[in-house]
Amino acid sequence: MDKINLVELGPRDGLQNEKLPLPVETKVALINRLVDAGFKTIEAGAFVSPKKVPQMANSGEVLAKINRPKGVSFPVLAPNIQGYEAAKESGADTIAVFASASETFSQRNINCSIEESMSRFKAVIDAAKKDGIRSRGYISNVLGCPYEGKVSTSTVIELTNKLLEMGCYEISLCDTIGVGTPLKARKLIRDVKSEIPVEKIAGHFHDTYGQALANSFIWLEEGVRTFDSSVSGLGGCPFAEGASGNLATEDLVYGLEGSGLDTSVNLEQLIEISRWISGELNKQPASHVTAALQSR
Amino acid sequence: MDKINLVELGPRDGLQNEKLPLPVETKVALINRLVDAGFKTIEAGAFVSPKKVPQMANSGEVLAKINRPKGVSFPVLAPNIQGYEAAKESGADTIAVFASASETFSQRNINCSIEESMSRFKAVIDAAKKDGIRSRGYISNVLGCPYEGKVSTSTVIELTNKLLEMGCYEISLCDTIGVGTPLKARKLIRDVKSEIPVEKIAGHFHDTYGQALANSFIWLEEGVRTFDSSVSGLGGCPFAEGASGNLATEDLVYGLEGSGLDTSVNLEQLIEISRWISGELNKQPASHVTAALQSR
């Protein structure tokens, strides 16, 4: 049975985009419960400006307090060398850097050009290598940008190659605004695969227009075996109030396990976590699976 | 560019499962607006027991009042000869019959065995043929049954063949409870294709567990070119309060048109219709696309 690697983003990409900041204890409980449900990679926090991203201000404390069993990694965002040093001091085992395939988005999101961001990432990844810390890369807007519209596939491939050369073990290609459609997504991964081993690629689809699961399965068919998602669809969409954000992990697990693939995740436990954390955030779970089973 | 045939079910399968019955005028306006948006096949009503399905009680009046331009067909359900006669008197151009691939579901849904239902349908389809009225077939529960669980693929194939032999121009295979997952859906269509021309098959997926669009695209890749869906995701799920029902047409059109396929439907107009009709029903549209664009 094919094994699928799930990267659970709820505690970081998810909570970072929720209005209600959660206390450390709730975040720790969330991560511990996700570990118990079987996830092997759980994004645990971000070492970024606490002024800009107050939801992630206590990431060091979270890292210090969670259970960290062998075989489970807890990537944290570290976009620059200061963030990296803080992540290292907090005992991070894996850091993540995030580039954008769109120049305008890079300027507006991290206030520097793509090129400048890449040289910052090189410093971070070099330092991590020396410290025996692994690096994961994200490239955002691979299927479209909220400011520029179309994004060049050659830029996506170039950035992916550069981040791999710098030492990232895997690059997550992100449809940040969810505008990708299945056949566009297929065209992209086929182009990427022609230059980069598919084992190095993770799929990261947002469900803004309901396409995320369909796109994930198209990539699965093209050989991608790693997917990012967020329990309960945590996070929403920062570009459109009320719109869906990250693909809900429950819906992904339902589709994969129901297709006979092995995610290592216990769906029943995951649904319990989804109900609980959405209650903590005072909202409904953005997952079809959890909504359907909740009503029973 | 590949043409995709969409069968819009909102005015029938959708409204039939909404609690709030709508007046004739609203139904007529809904169908007329769907015609204007470019749909070529719009399910317009059902000639069934008004006691059991009060939402469809005025289907004859609806058929009489809508605009019916050339090239657009308006199937109506006619499960037995009495229903057929009423449909014919109301000027129906196409009727639809619905069998279940599950014996228990057939008993509970239409109070007869699969075999009995098939002989009723034969009478209906024979009469329709004589009157120059086309017949469409549905087979429900093709990927699972709420009562029996697993459903036999050979039953699905057998019923499909029988309905085609009786004279149906197309059979819609329905995942009525939305339990299908992409690789299970692929297995089914491959088995079906091995015995039946794929041009005769339509895909009808419910979004109960968020799998409907992914399943539709898997079938598209296998050669299916006709899909059923419901504007605004009208209808919900009769088996689980609060759960998603029919695939929302907006999300399907977004995926297909965004993939460079031709649905003949104007997405902007469709979103307007979705907003309007969900307002009439006093509910939120169950479409990611409409939710995302509503917030702008």
Side-chain angles (χ1 to χ4, degrees):
Chain A
M1 186 157 50
D2 261 23
K3 268 198 76 66
I4 306 295
N5 310 303
L6 297 184
V7 178
E8 171 54 42
L9 302 182
R12 201 280 304 170
D13 197 18
L15 294 185
Q16 177 175 328
N17 292 304
E18 294 289 344
K19 275 183 197 139
L20 206 62
L22 292 180
V24 168
E25 291 65 34
T26 310
K27 291 186 189 178
V28 169
L30 173 60
I31 295 172
N32 287 345
R33 290 181 72 164
L34 291 166
V35 170
D36 289 343
F39 289 93
K40 301 299 173 204
T41 311
I42 301 166
E43 220 179 39
F47 291 85
V48 293
S49 158
K51 270 186 202 150
K52 282 196 197 156
V53 190
Q55 294 95 331
M56 292 292 115
N58 45 23
S59 290
E61 218 182 322
V62 171
L63 260 192
K65 288 186 172 167
I66 54 174
N67 302 330
R68 295 175 62 177
K70 232 185 145 214
V72 184
S73 71
F74 299 92
V76 291
L77 287 197
N80 51 40
I81 201 74
Q82 299 92 307
Y84 171 73
E85 291 297 339
K88 179 188 154 190
E89 273 169 40
S90 303
D93 56 67
T94 309
I95 59 94
V97 297
F98 47 102
S100 172
S102 146
E103 196 62 57
T104 313
F105 192 93
S106 184
Q107 290 288 357
R108 297 213 194 176
N109 192 43
I110 51 177
N111 299 306
C112 66
S113 69
I114 297 176
E115 202 183 325
E116 286 167 324
S117 75
M118 293 299 276
S119 71
R120 286 186 201 168
F121 299 154
K122 186 167 185 326
V124 168
I125 296 166
D126 280 347
K129 252 188 279 186
K130 277 182 206 142
D131 296 328
I133 291 175
R134 300 197 313 159
S135 298
R136 188 174 198 246
Y138 287 103
I139 299 174
S140 60
N141 301 298
V142 298
L143 282 157
C145 164
Y147 311 116
E148 295 186 13
K150 260 199 160 181
V151 159
S152 138
T153 298
S154 60
T155 305
V156 173
I157 293 173
E158 189 195 320
L159 294 176
T160 303
N161 266 326
K162 277 189 184 165
L163 287 173
L164 287 172
E165 278 162 24
M166 287 179 194
C168 287
Y169 66 94
E170 177 176 282
I171 310 298
S172 172
L173 300 183
C174 309
D175 181 13
T176 312
I177 53 171
V179 292
T181 52
L183 302 197
K184 274 186 196 154
R186 183 166 70 186
K187 172 90 174 69
L188 175 65
I189 193 64
R190 286 185 178 171
D191 289 344
V192 167
K193 269 165 62 180
S194 70
E195 309 215 19
I196 292 158
V198 73
E199 302 78 37
K200 296 289 182 190
I201 302 298
H204 176 127
F205 294 100
H206 280 232
D207 211 22
T208 328
Y209 301 94
Q211 312 291 309
L213 190 72
N215 291 339
S216 299
F217 267 91
I218 293 284
W219 280 31
L220 180 81
E221 293 203 296
E222 296 291 330
V224 175
R225 289 294 175 268
T226 303
F227 293 95
D228 298 356
S229 61
S230 176
V231 58
S232 204
L234 288 183
C237 174
F239 305 99
E241 183 84 18
S244 316
N246 278 294
L247 174 57
T249 309
E250 301 96 291
D251 297 5
L252 178 62
V253 169
Y254 186 96
L256 292 169
E257 293 277 336
S259 288
L261 303 163
D262 176 16
T263 65
S264 86
V265 171
N266 181 307
L267 182 59
E268 297 295 316
Q269 281 177 261
L270 181 59
I271 290 167
E272 286 301 319
I273 299 169
S274 175
R275 285 176 180 161
W276 164 73
I277 195 67
S278 52
E280 295 291 315
L281 289 161
N282 200 18
K283 61 189 283 197
Q284 289 298 313
S287 154
H288 292 266
V289 169
T290 301
L293 298 177
Q294 200 151 20
S295 62
R296 286 209 178 148
Chain B
M1 185 158 50
D2 262 23
K3 269 197 75 67
I4 307 295
N5 310 304
L6 298 184
V7 178
E8 172 54 41
L9 303 183
R12 201 280 304 171
D13 197 18
L15 294 185
Q16 176 174 328
N17 292 305
E18 294 289 343
K19 277 184 196 138
L20 206 62
L22 292 181
V24 169
E25 292 65 35
T26 310
K27 290 186 190 178
V28 170
L30 172 61
I31 295 171
N32 287 345
R33 291 182 71 164
L34 291 166
V35 170
D36 289 344
F39 290 92
K40 301 300 172 204
T41 311
I42 302 166
E43 221 179 39
F47 291 86
V48 293
S49 158
K51 271 187 200 146
K52 280 195 195 154
V53 190
Q55 295 95 330
M56 293 292 113
N58 44 23
S59 290
E61 217 181 325
V62 171
L63 259 193
K65 288 187 171 167
I66 54 173
N67 303 329
R68 296 175 60 176
K70 231 186 144 211
V72 184
S73 71
F74 300 91
V76 292
L77 286 197
N80 50 41
I81 202 73
Q82 299 92 307
Y84 171 72
E85 291 297 339
K88 180 188 155 190
E89 274 169 40
S90 303
D93 56 66
T94 309
I95 58 95
V97 297
F98 47 101
S100 172
S102 145
E103 196 61 58
T104 313
F105 192 92
S106 184
Q107 291 288 358
R108 298 212 192 177
N109 192 43
I110 52 177
N111 299 307
C112 66
S113 68
I114 296 175
E115 204 182 324
E116 286 167 324
S117 75
M118 292 300 277
S119 72
R120 287 186 202 167
F121 300 154
K122 186 167 184 327
V124 169
I125 296 166
D126 279 347
K129 253 188 279 187
K130 279 182 206 141
D131 296 326
I133 292 176
R134 299 197 312 161
S135 299
R136 187 173 198 247
Y138 287 103
I139 299 173
S140 60
N141 301 298
V142 298
L143 282 158
C145 164
Y147 311 117
E148 294 187 12
K150 261 197 158 180
V151 158
S152 136
T153 298
S154 61
T155 305
V156 173
I157 292 172
E158 188 194 322
L159 294 176
T160 304
N161 267 326
K162 280 190 183 162
L163 287 173
L164 287 172
E165 278 161 24
M166 288 180 193
C168 287
Y169 66 94
E170 177 176 284
I171 310 298
S172 172
L173 300 183
C174 308
D175 181 13
T176 312
I177 53 171
V179 294
T181 52
L183 303 196
K184 274 186 196 155
R186 183 165 70 188
K187 172 89 173 67
L188 174 65
I189 193 64
R190 285 186 178 170
D191 288 344
V192 168
K193 270 165 61 180
S194 70
E195 309 216 19
I196 293 157
V198 73
E199 302 77 39
K200 296 289 181 192
I201 303 297
H204 175 126
F205 293 101
H206 280 231
D207 211 22
T208 327
Y209 302 94
Q211 312 292 308
L213 189 72
N215 291 340
S216 300
F217 267 90
I218 292 283
W219 280 30
L220 180 80
E221 293 203 296
E222 296 292 329
V224 176
R225 289 293 175 269
T226 303
F227 294 95
D228 297 357
S229 61
S230 175
V231 57
S232 204
L234 288 182
C237 174
F239 304 98
E241 183 83 19
S244 316
N246 278 295
L247 175 57
T249 310
E250 301 97 289
D251 297 5
L252 178 61
V253 169
Y254 186 96
L256 292 169
E257 292 278 336
S259 288
L261 302 163
D262 176 14
T263 64
S264 85
V265 171
N266 181 308
L267 182 59
E268 297 295 317
Q269 280 176 260
L270 180 59
I271 290 167
E272 286 301 319
I273 299 169
S274 175
R275 285 176 181 162
W276 163 73
I277 194 68
S278 52
E280 295 291 315
L281 289 161
N282 201 17
K283 61 189 284 198
Q284 288 299 312
S287 154
H288 292 267
V289 168
T290 301
L293 298 177
Q294 200 150 20
S295 62
R296 285 206 180 151

